[in-house]
Amino acid sequence: MTDSNALSTVPSPVSTRGITPSDACDCGPSRRQVLGALAATGIVAPLAFSGMDAAAAGAEANAAITPEQAMAEIMAGNTRFVAGAPTAHTKDLAIIRARAAEGQWPSVGVLSCADSRVPVEMVFDEPIGRLFVTRVAGNITTPEIIASLEYGVAVLGIKAIVVMGHSNCGAIKAAMQNPEVPGQVSALFPSILPAIYMSQRDDPMAVTRQNAVIHAATLINSSTVIETAVKDGKLTVVPAVYDVATSKVELLPIPAALRQKTPR
């Protein structure tokens, strides 16, 4: 299910901000290329170094990339996934596990819906340890989600955060219909209501797009850790929508009006 009409408050997907797959070749070596070069020279070779050494080398290589390179890498991965030509499964799982046992060096954090049709690592064609993923129905921000992503930024050094909604989202549709639901399911609805009001359309996909944009902006506006990293050019926060029918990820901009302008 896709939405053919653009939201009045959300422009068409960005294509000139240095974070699309076609720009990957213009922003220097990607993290995958850096790690590949290190492996080729023996710096992170599993036979020559311990898992701890490999983890340290991976973290160092990760620190050298830019937010634009981090986004270009995962979008190139999505292009491979859409084309039916993923490569993550070809990696040596034993080596990946050995390195993961000693640490992690993800470059991108993802706030995704809990929906089982959105397998984040597969969507971006990334192996173990490459994405720092948080998930909750409706891909909404909560104190726990924000804290987790702050850890990713401050401790793990992630360079980008993607807030990713998806087509045919049950949480979005339920919030729009506001039916009687069991247990605490309705606790999700208040965080989705702003997107319903701002989209001004009875269209689940329009609300899904607006919801991703709002919660991406909320991450920046609600967290001094994330806001500072963005202002310093060390981090980018990008809303996105995943189409469960085509497997394609569409990036969206955050309108200036949703960015906090006054100091706290």
Side-chain angles (χ1 to χ4, degrees):
M1 172 180 176
T2 58
D3 177 38
S4 59
N5 298 314
L7 283 174
S8 59
T9 56
V10 183
S12 59
V14 289
S15 60
T16 59
R17 297 172 62 193
I19 55 175
T20 56
S22 61
D23 294 330
C25 61
D26 298 325
C27 57
S30 69
R31 183 161 58 100
R32 181 176 277 113
Q33 291 171 322
V34 171
L35 291 175
L38 291 175
T41 58
I43 295 178
V44 295
L47 298 180
F49 287 80
S50 68
M52 184 72 75
D53 293 328
E60 184 175 343
N62 184 51
I65 69 170
T66 66
E68 291 75 22
Q69 288 173 327
M71 284 300 302
E73 178 181 332
I74 64 167
M75 291 306 293
N78 180 242
T79 297
R80 292 192 299 273
F81 182 61
V82 171
T87 61
H89 68 284
T90 66
K91 305 295 186 296
D92 190 314
L93 188 56
I95 295 175
I96 292 174
R97 284 173 175 163
R99 294 176 183 173
E102 300 298 341
Q104 59 175 318
W105 56 91
S107 66
V108 176
V110 180
L111 167 51
S112 171
C113 182
D115 196 294
S116 62
R117 297 167 295 176
V118 188
V120 178
E121 285 82 1
M122 290 180 65
V123 166
F124 291 115
D125 191 30
E126 291 286 0
I128 295 171
R130 303 294 286 274
L131 298 178
F132 188 70
V133 180
T134 60
R135 303 189 67 156
V136 61
N139 46 277
I140 59 176
T141 47
T142 68
E144 296 80 7
I145 290 290
I146 294 173
S148 298
L149 291 170
E150 285 180 335
Y151 175 82
V153 173
V155 179
L156 300 178
I158 58 177
K159 299 303 180 70
I161 297 174
V162 178
V163 179
M164 190 167 70
H166 67 93
S167 59
N168 296 318
C169 180
I172 295 292
K173 292 179 179 179
M176 293 177 69
Q177 297 166 2
N178 194 26
E180 289 190 16
V181 292
Q184 300 185 45
V185 174
S186 61
L188 300 167
F189 298 170
S191 294
I192 300 173
L193 286 178
I196 297 174
Y197 297 143
M198 289 184 67
S199 65
Q200 298 182 342
R201 294 165 61 185
D202 187 22
D203 179 352
M205 194 61 185
V207 176
T208 295
R209 290 169 180 266
Q210 187 70 69
N211 188 60
V213 169
I214 287 173
H215 287 287
T218 299
L219 283 176
I220 299 173
N221 297 334
S222 299
S223 167
T224 55
V225 172
I226 294 173
E227 179 188 41
T228 299
V230 169
K231 287 183 176 179
D232 291 345
K234 297 178 180 179
L235 177 75
T236 185
V237 179
V238 183
V241 174
Y242 173 70
D243 190 319
V244 298
T246 66
S247 300
K248 186 175 182 179
V249 174
E250 175 188 357
L251 303 181
L252 305 167
I254 301 176
L258 289 182
R259 290 182 179 271
Q260 185 167 294
K261 296 181 180 179
T262 57
R264 291 181 178 82

